[in-house]
Amino acid sequence: MTLVAIPNETNPTDKRTAMSPANIAKLVQSGADVLVEEGLGVGSGFSNDQYRQAGAMVTKNHEEIFSGSDVVLRIHKPTTEEAELLKRGSIHISHLDPFNEQELIETLNNRQASTISMEMIPRTTRAQKMDALSSQASLAGYVMVLQAANRLNRILPMMMTPSGTIKPAKVFVIGAGVAGLQSIATARRLGARITAFDTRAIVAEQVESLGATFLNIDLGETGQTEDGYARELTAEQLNTQQQAQSDEIAKSDIVITTAQVFGRKPPRLVTLETVKRMQPGSIIVDMAAASGGNVEGSIAGEEVEIDGVIIIGSGNWSGQVCRDASNMYSNNLTNLFTEYWNEDRKLFEIDLQDDILSACVITHGGEIINETIRKHYS
Amino acid sequence: MTLVAIPNETNPTDKRTAMSPANIAKLVQSGADVLVEEGLGVGSGFSNDQYRQAGAMVTKNHEEIFSGSDVVLRIHKPTTEEAELLKRGSIHISHLDPFNEQELIETLNNRQASTISMEMIPRTTRAQKMDALSSQASLAGYVMVLQAANRLNRILPMMMTPSGTIKPAKVFVIGAGVAGLQSIATARRLGARITAFDTRAIVAEQVESLGATFLNIDLGETGQTEDGYARELTAEQLNTQQQAQSDEIAKSDIVITTAQVFGRKPPRLVTLETVKRMQPGSIIVDMAAASGGNVEGSIAGEEVEIDGVIIIGSGNWSGQVCRDASNMYSNNLTNLFTEYWNEDRKLFEIDLQDDILSACVITHGGEIINETIRKHYS
Amino acid sequence: MPTVILINLSYTVAAVLFILGLKFLGNPDTARRGNALSSLGMLLAVVVTLLDHAIIDYRWILLGIVAGTLIGAFAARLIAMTAMPEMVALFNGFGGIASLLVGCIALSQSQLDRFVLLTIFMSIMIGGVTFSGSLLAWGKLSEKITGRPLVFNGQRFVNGGLFLANIACGVMFVQHPEQTLWLVLTVLLSTSLGVMTLLPIGGADMPVIISLLNSYSGLAACAAGFAISNNILIVAGSLVGASGIILTNIMCKAMNRSLANVLFSGFGAASGASNKIEGDVKAISTEDAFYILEAAQSVVVIPGYGMAVAQAQHAVKELQGLLEKNGCEVLYAIHPVAGRMPGHMNVLLAEADVPYDLLLEMDDINPRMETFDVAIVIGANDVVNTAAREIESSPIYGMPIINADYARTVFVLKRSMASGFAGLDNPLFYKDNTRMIFGDAKETVNKLIRELSS
Amino acid sequence: MPTVILINLSYTVAAVLFILGLKFLGNPDTARRGNALSSLGMLLAVVVTLLDHAIIDYRWILLGIVAGTLIGAFAARLIAMTAMPEMVALFNGFGGIASLLVGCIALSQSQLDRFVLLTIFMSIMIGGVTFSGSLLAWGKLSEKITGRPLVFNGQRFVNGGLFLANIACGVMFVQHPEQTLWLVLTVLLSTSLGVMTLLPIGGADMPVIISLLNSYSGLAACAAGFAISNNILIVAGSLVGASGIILTNIMCKAMNRSLANVLFSGFGAASGASNKIEGDVKAISTEDAFYILEAAQSVVVIPGYGMAVAQAQHAVKELQGLLEKNGCEVLYAIHPVAGRMPGHMNVLLAEADVPYDLLLEMDDINPRMETFDVAIVIGANDVVNTAAREIESSPIYGMPIINADYARTVFVLKRSMASGFAGLDNPLFYKDNTRMIFGDAKETVNKLIRELSS
Amino acid sequence: MDMVYLTFILILSVFLGFELIQKVPATLHTPLMSGANAISGITLVGALVGAGGEGSPLTIFLGTAAVTFATINVVGGYLVTDRMLAMFKKKGTKK
Amino acid sequence: MDMVYLTFILILSVFLGFELIQKVPATLHTPLMSGANAISGITLVGALVGAGGEGSPLTIFLGTAAVTFATINVVGGYLVTDRMLAMFKKKGTKK
Ligand SMILES: NC(=O)c1ccc[n+]([C@@H]2O[C@H](COP(=O)([O-])OP(=O)(O)OC[C@H]3O[C@@H](n4cnc5c(N)ncnc54)[C@H](OP(=O)(O)O)[C@@H]3O)[C@@H](O)[C@H]2O)c1
Ligand SMILES: NC(=O)c1ccc[n+]([C@@H]2O[C@H](COP(=O)([O-])OP(=O)(O)OC[C@H]3O[C@@H](n4cnc5c(N)ncnc54)[C@H](OP(=O)(O)O)[C@@H]3O)[C@@H](O)[C@H]2O)c1
Ligand SMILES: NC(=O)c1ccc[n+]([C@@H]2O[C@H](COP(=O)([O-])OP(=O)(O)OC[C@H]3O[C@@H](n4cnc5c(N)ncnc54)[C@H](O)[C@@H]3O)[C@@H](O)[C@H]2O)c1
Ligand SMILES: NC(=O)c1ccc[n+]([C@@H]2O[C@H](COP(=O)([O-])OP(=O)(O)OC[C@H]3O[C@@H](n4cnc5c(N)ncnc54)[C@H](O)[C@@H]3O)[C@@H](O)[C@H]2O)c1
């Protein structure tokens, strides 16, 4: 008998929900007992009744969720207090930000909890259905374009009208990972002209497959890791990139930056100087604002205006489309859960031989068993 | 010698500008003297210097614009004070809302001003280049969709992803005039499924030509005026329409209403009851909110939430993309001006035989010469 | 004008009518008119032949014609719509035996030089093969005989031997036309040859075989024409002979087979699919692919990242339209991870204006994959990689895929044998029912469009 | 084997080579091989003919062949690339006179029945027309004579008279072959006929005429073949005769003219466009439109609301691609008020993925409209209504339009003669260079695509 | 010489046969086959002389048989083809 | 009877000629015309017997003239065609 519990998120600005009623029903069907906190999903339009109908018990007690259950599913990392409430040996699945949260991880480890970090799900074809980074980044790509378009004092598509011809807006996307590609696709749907850059040369083809132009900058050796992540650039390379992009940025109506380097602070790609070269009224969206920012001057969670250029750094992008975001995240969790759920024994089995689990399980049996993280800490 | 002057708009929420520097240059080239108020165009990103370079004089004196010039060009109707400043016999071209502003019109008439109302430009093929209603409505159509999409907790396009399939959002557009059609086109660009309704059966073809579905409602006799405007519905017809749309609205994620009846208050199309049938989180955009509203409960200039449904009634839609809106309006004005500008005599000539002028000139030579308006007043 | 000139000029006209008839038969709009024209030609040819001075007694002719007309007309009228192919086979057999008989009759001519004897032999032999072969085909089709291919060891040797013996017989016949033995032997051997060659061919392949036998019966008539120096027999016979071969070829292509394969494979007799990545990669030209698509009733398109790279979405939409116009159902199967970002395929297909209703999720399409005549995999690889189902050691083992390989025929459109994102070999490419169409996907699809729309 | 059989069997082979040669010549990939094959056929035919027992003296033959080879080879080698058409005309003339001469020679045969005489007459007459006509064509093309059409009153009567006289002459000739007068008259009349028919035809139409004369020279050879009972002459001659006619027809269509129009119009002689809405509406089939598009170097597409109604944007994009592949430049001219909302055309063309760079504004395209071979107006009406330029009383007089009518040829794709949004008649539809292609725009464009891609 | 002419005719007909049938839609395969089959009944023309000539009784008997068979082929062939095509016609026009 | 055969041959050739030339790309119009023109020089075969036969001097003279003209047509025609086609070839392969 395994009790799976889902607490409310404690971050008030995030309306997403870790589990949708539809997925709760799946868990219940596969033999798990499910407990949810009252009000879970209100932000995304799911009512307590829907959860009850799906077969979950509903509690008002936030602590009970942690102390009484075998598996906790959620979006954000727990607070230290929450972590300390955890039942010994229970399983905790959520984002954990393990590279920056050594203390939290150690607390969890001390509780003998088995923790799975959603960020660490590998980027393999088989794991994609559990990959929350991808699902949320994809929505983020869409949202960033919509926000930018909504703030821009121009329209994106071309229009040849009796009142003059409006040229299509120019959009420049830096970083063509999952979010960047979706931004390109969305902006193109709206009829903009798009240029994109990424240090991984291999994505040039992907960018072009979406009808955008790839900006060629010769940075010398760059490449990508085995997992498909970008390598960090040298200072010199970064400088070259900043220079080479500057003209393109100055010409653009909208700039969207999505550059990340796995396990590192995001690179600083757009300098203040370059921002000032843009037309007043132009928009920059800094996806990475919350974790340090690709753009000089961006502030996490806020909109800044510099010389008439608006830098949007709201963060929690996918939260804007919380209903779809919740559904997707909840699907990811459910896919992960059912993949390793043993229906006969009614147990979530952590098999460290499995190539997905070996990558995303951080602590297990009182040890930080994840190689990457252990190396990072030492 | 004719002095053309452009004052700043007095409405602080509208960042648009009646004249862009590029168009000022055209007026100057055709032999007019141009005077602009300082700060004109700042909202849309045009600087005083740009106006100077285009050949305009710049003044800080708001009154001088009215009292000293032969032609005044602007967007909004003047205040009564401004109207009283006008030089006798001068020409004033702007929106005037003549159906509702009898007092203002009479004031203007008393000043012996010749006034042209931009709303009254006829909907003929030849006049389209001066048709500001069209140009602004078209932008409004785009903006309404963007605002709605930005507020919706879902994404518009379909996405089949490893984290589940997201169904395309449903959009329902009521009124398929210029704004409605542009809304349809924009929503479709974003990948939504669209249904639309209009009382003028002839637009069904136009709706379908944009890839949307036309909702067929049998209202009996409806039709359109000679100018292509819709006729007002009888109370009974309106009721039928409300009922028939209700199901469609309940199913929709976004409803956009753009229905107008020329010279009348816009029809009330969506009742509170229907609003309450919608899913929480759905969005309604009421284009007509400012002039009375198509939707029960909408408030001009504001966002209202009713049972989780958000009704956007911001108004001044095209103002959100003020730069393009200014350019287009400015082109409309310039096209109108140069059409009737006599380069030899350097005079703006009002020829009441001309079919465009005869429709849009309201007062001239101390008389309200516009038939429609005169009938409306009496 | 001498009668013989009149007759022959009429033959010219009849020949023209046959030519036009055949031409018109190849186009749906004019086919019926074509058939009428060619029957007119036949009537003309028969009627003027009756003027021949060599004919002195019309009674037997009348008897034959009346009997034949009655039988033919009743058979044609009464036969069920579904039984038409076997009826054609039977008619064809009658044509064959008629040629055989005409060949025999020609033996009573005055001057019999070698050449004439050779043509007589040929008309008898081809006529005999056509006759017995057609009867067997009729039997198999109407299920009077089992439709299953009958294969035995050394079959090819036996048939080869029969054929050689037949030829030998022919040589003797030409040398010694006076010895009836060779004539009789020729008749026997050729009829057996017809039966033996058809034994290993399954019922499903019979239409192709009938078309081939039809071509033969044309050749038999042509040979008979040489034997009695008759133009119209030669023209009509060789027209049918040549067009029959072409038609046979077209039909083979529509089944994605070669004629040799049809004749010798004993298709359906043995089969045992292997699950290993072994086997041959079978490439196919767009022209051949066209014949298969053209005959397909239902097609599922499975797009992948390669469609995006090639920007083939518009062409694919166009192809869909043409297939639909051809009476074919077209659906799209979208794998969740296809492409390089979530919803990649949706973006592209929406751009090309493919209706949402036609896009099916993996779970909806897989159960009915067997019902599709053709699955067109356009630049997808990992998402149809059967290693996920078949090879336990594969890194993607267990991942749900779109089961393209369950469709009757699979076309895979890609540029090379290169692997996809996951870097894995794909056993699908080696399956029996898979055909690779190499090249840029957009170009390939455009070529298919061109074939389909001309 | 008797020589005559050998010769004739070789002729069969030669005929096959000619047939294959012609077939291959019609396809760019095989054209050169086709030419080689057909020359091989010619060599074979000539060589085996030399075996003919009737030939007793080879000296003159050698003389003729050597002289002819030298002249022909030098001419072919030395001629400038640009002068090739006139060279072909000249060669063709030589072929014509050769047939004429062979006809004359055939007169010395022993048995001259009516039929043979008739064919002799025909080979002389057709040969004569071909000869003189080709020479005149050569003159016009090489500008030895003025290329301008020479038209005079009663021209058709004179030519008709000449033709009848020629026929009459032929009748006399067949009746009285012994009177040389008729022979001489035939030669004179036929050569004059050749000259007179060509006089009213302009230099620009000469390629079509050469193709026609080429067909004639085939017929002349064929007639000569009858005269001397020679198979290969008949086969080769009639092959050329028939394929020449087809080719002529194709070429006429490519010029958007009928053969009759080419022969009798005196094109370019008189012209004087009228500005009234008067004149004929000229509808044209997509097939004929194809020939014009196929030859076009630059095309401008002018879309309007009808393109939206028909949802033809994807098809239009496809057409653009095919035209571009054919080496043609394609641009789009967007009128600001086209469609039913501002930017309507942009929405549609963006959906079809037409690059922004190809969309030109009215003011940018109008100055270069004259340089376009074809303007395709797709469902537009008001925006190309020349009444705005020409008819002062029109409500849209003075409105700037896209001057589609300034392009060389204008295709207007719409369903009927119905007016557009403004409800006005459109003089464009009645212009000399306008062709209406009636029907739903999408279907029409799809038909054009089909033509272009096959 | 006759044989030469006949060979010529044969060759030309064969080529013509090849050229005539190019791309045929799948639905027409069977009717086309059947129509061609009817034409191959032309052998009837050859049989006529046998059946009505001044040959031996055997020849006449064989000839009559040949006439009968060939007639079945011709008459039946054309009629069946026509029936098939008529069916298509209906399908087409219904729409 | 000869005439009958010849007519047959004529008819078949004409049909074949029609069928052979279907859609020809515009660029091939001139070479095709020129190639066909060379074939029409087949009249050379007819002229040979005249020039080398046992006829009167006039016949021989006419025959020789005919041979000369026809040879020009044949040789020149094939060579010119080949030159044209060679040109296309180069254009094509350059790309
Ligand atoms: N959906 C996502 O969010 C996402 C994100 C990142 C990665 N992925 C991964 O990407 C893969 C997607 O699978 P897939 O089947 O769509 O693609 P795939 O397995 O990468 O295969 C694409 C195939 O397309 C062919 N191709 C490329 N260009 C072509 C062209 N111009 N014409 C014809 N063929 C062309 C390539 O073969 P040739 O080179 O032989 O032509 C290649 O094998 C999965 O492994 C998935 O995990 C997905
Ligand atoms: N752009 C705007 O904002 C706007 C807004 C409102 C009104 N307008 C007005 O609309 C007009 C636009 O001019 P336009 O040239 O684009 O359109 P138009 O003048 O209205 O002409 C459209 C033509 O398309 C043809 N058509 C319709 N359906 C078709 C189909 N399925 N296939 C082929 N042809 C089809 C119609 O002829 P058949 O019926 O014979 O086929 C019609 O003549 C102007 O008068 C403009 O003032 C424009
Ligand atoms: N196999 C799968 O199913 C699957 C699923 C999702 C993602 N992926 C792959 O994972 C990889 C990472 O995707 P992601 O979106 O999570 O990446 P990410 O969020 O780590 O980084 C975003 C993008 O920024 C780029 N970037 C880093 N430094 C940059 C710089 N200085 N300038 C410009 N761009 C810079 C990276 O190359 C990357 O494309 C991609 O290769 C993606 O295809 C695979
Ligand atoms: N000739 C030109 O160049 C030109 C230019 C612009 C517009 N027009 C025409 O002018 C006309 C009006 O356009 P507009 O956008 O300014 O119209 P509008 O703003 O007056 O009205 C918007 C739409 O609401 C519709 N409507 C009215 N009552 C309704 C109801 N009860 N339910 C649903 N819909 C209702 C109207 O039919 C109209 O389509 C259109 O026919 C348009 O094509 C012509």
Side-chain angles (χ1 to χ4, degrees), chain C residues 49-371:
Chain C
T49 307
L50 293 176
L51 301 180
D52 194 327
H53 292 310
I55 299 184
I56 48 171
D57 183 351
Y58 289 90
R59 287 172 306 165
W60 297 107
I61 294 184
L62 200 68
L63 177 69
I65 289 196
V66 169
T69 306
L70 286 179
I71 300 175
F74 274 112
R77 280 274 159 260
L78 298 182
I79 194 76
M81 229 39 190
T82 48
M84 288 211 174
E86 55 235 50
M87 196 82 264
V88 175
L90 202 59
F91 289 158
N92 195 45
F94 292 164
I97 189 145
S99 292
L100 184 152
L101 294 174
V102 172
C104 295
I105 297 169
L107 268 179
S108 60
Q109 267 177 307
S110 42
Q111 16 135 273
L112 289 174
D113 58 25
R114 288 267 166 89
F115 184 75
V116 172
L117 281 171
L118 181 67
T119 57
I120 288 180
F121 164 72
M122 280 175 57
S123 82
I124 294 178
M125 168 166 162
I126 305 181
V129 171
T130 308
F131 171 62
S132 62
S134 297
L135 282 192
L136 194 69
W138 167 74
K140 286 202 175 197
L141 273 179
S142 61
E143 287 166 21
K144 301 238 179 321
I145 320 177
T146 166
R148 279 204 300 116
L150 209 139
V151 196
F152 55 85
N153 282 346
Q155 194 164 35
R156 291 197 195 173
F157 281 104
V158 175
N159 290 359
L162 255 180
F163 181 71
L164 290 182
N166 219 331
I167 298 295
C169 220
V171 175
M172 295 310 291
F173 172 78
V174 173
Q175 308 284 358
H176 311 284
E178 66 289 349
Q179 301 181 356
T180 335
L181 170 68
W182 303 121
L183 175 65
V184 174
L185 256 186
T186 302
V187 172
L188 288 180
L189 282 175
S190 61
T191 43
S192 334
L193 185 60
V195 171
M196 293 303 290
T197 4
L198 254 74
L199 277 184
I201 304 176
D205 286 341
M206 278 306 136
V208 177
I209 292 303
I210 297 178
S211 176
L212 186 66
L213 289 172
N214 180 28
S215 167
Y216 286 176
S217 78
L219 294 180
C222 180
F226 271 93
I228 61 171
S229 288
N230 185 312
N231 289 325
I232 191 69
L233 254 67
I234 297 180
V235 172
S238 49
L239 275 178
V240 171
S243 59
I245 285 284
I246 297 281
L247 183 59
T248 308
N249 211 20
I250 292 180
M251 290 167 84
C252 283
K253 283 188 171 171
M255 296 168 62
N256 200 13
R257 318 261 302 277
S258 74
L259 185 53
N261 182 287
V262 169
L263 285 177
F264 304 124
S265 74
F267 202 70
S271 96
S274 92
N275 274 340
K276 295 267 130 62
I277 293 207
E278 269 168 14
D280 294 328
V281 169
K282 289 162 290 288
I284 176 180
S285 72
T286 47
E287 207 199 1
D288 291 354
F290 153 74
Y291 287 104
I292 302 173
L293 280 182
E294 218 268 310
Q297 296 294 316
S298 56
V299 165
V300 56
V301 174
I302 306 167
Y305 177 57
M307 181 180 84
V309 174
Q311 288 287 296
Q313 62 270 29
H314 295 285
V316 170
K317 170 71 196 296
E318 175 88 9
L319 181 67
Q320 173 206 326
L322 286 173
L323 287 172
E324 281 171 347
K325 210 173 279 173
N326 201 25
C328 172
E329 181 196 15
V330 183
L331 289 174
Y332 293 78
I334 313 292
H335 193 283
V337 313
R340 286 288 183 275
M341 65 169 196
H344 202 163
M345 296 301 115
N346 295 115
V347 170
L348 298 169
L349 294 175
E351 185 190 322
D353 227 3
V354 174
Y356 282 148
D357 314 326
L358 300 188
L359 312 187
L360 295 198
E361 291 179 59
M362 179 168 64
D363 296 338
D364 296 333
I365 201 94
N366 270 343
R368 50 170 298 201
M369 195 52 89
E370 282 86 357
T371 66

Side-chain angles (χ1 to χ4, degrees), chain B residues 32-51:
Chain B
D33 291 331
V34 182
L35 178 71
V36 306
E37 189 171 341
E38 196 181 78
L40 178 76
V42 178
S44 307
F46 304 123
S47 68
N48 291 329
D49 276 354
Q50 283 175 304
Y51 284 103

Side-chain angles (χ1 to χ4, degrees), chain B residues 1-2 25-33 334 336-349:
Chain B
M1 248 258 345
T2 303
K26 278 195 198 156
L27 298 195
V28 171
Q29 218 168 10
S30 68
D33 291 331
T334 310
L336 173 69
F337 186 85
T338 47
E339 182 90 7
Y340 301 107
W341 174 253
N342 186 325
E343 269 199 48
D344 300 329
R345 301 180 48 209
K346 304 224 184 304
L347 261 184
F348 187 89
E349 292 184 332

Side-chain angles (χ1 to χ4, degrees), chain C residues 311 313-315 317-318 322 325 350-353 442 446 449-450 453-454, chain D residues 311 313-315 317-318 322 325 350-353 442 446 449-450 453-454:
Chain C
Q311 288 287 296
Q313 62 270 29
H314 295 285
K317 170 71 196 296
E318 175 88 9
L322 286 173
K325 210 173 279 173
E351 185 190 322
D353 227 3
K442 184 172 177 186
N446 273 332
I449 290 172
R450 232 151 285 156
S453 59
S454 61
Chain D
Q311 288 287 295
Q313 62 269 31
H314 295 284
K317 169 72 196 295
E318 175 90 7
L322 287 173
K325 211 172 278 173
E351 184 189 322
D353 226 4
K442 183 171 177 185
N446 272 332
I449 290 173
R450 234 151 282 158
S453 59
S454 60

